[in-house]
Amino acid sequence: MSPLATVAALLGALVVLVAAVGLMRFDSPYARIHAAGKASPVAFVIVAVGAAADVGWSGALRLVLAAAALILTLPVAVHLLFRAVHASSPEYDPEVDELSR
């Protein structure tokens, strides 16, 4: 394992650790979903950059495709989770409800 891959894996693990602390510390489900939804693609991209240095061109291309798929699909999934929480948990409703239109 190259030093770049090691550093990238450690940085990705650090991002995931910070997100896990956010999941435990935040009060509302909206903030928790936001912390998890933002950290997971960032951590994956950091680790993928490090791993791409070790796996060669074909492996790096697969990592780029996986990162692109994650970056393109995760915002939709997080949005759907937000909508589900909003529809099922009235105790967390904001004072101004822009989704009720």
Side-chain angles (χ1 to χ4, degrees):
M1 195 167 184
S2 71
L4 175 65
T6 304
V7 169
L10 289 174
L11 282 175
L14 181 65
V15 169
V16 170
L17 179 66
V18 169
V21 169
L23 287 174
M24 295 297 158
R25 300 270 320 202
F26 290 141
D27 293 332
S28 74
Y30 299 114
R32 290 180 183 150
I33 294 171
H34 183 75
K38 296 295 181 197
S40 56
V42 171
F44 180 80
V45 169
I46 292 171
V47 172
V49 166
D54 283 351
V55 296
W57 286 105
S58 65
L61 180 62
R62 289 179 185 166
L63 287 168
V64 166
L65 290 174
L70 185 67
I71 290 170
L72 290 174
T73 59
L74 193 68
V76 175
V78 169
H79 178 76
L80 291 174
L81 281 172
F82 274 112
R83 297 282 301 209
V85 168
H86 182 75
S88 64
S89 301
E91 66 271 11
Y92 293 110
D93 283 349
E95 296 199 16
V96 177
D97 188 6
E98 295 180 4
L99 295 176
S100 65
R101 297 180 214 179

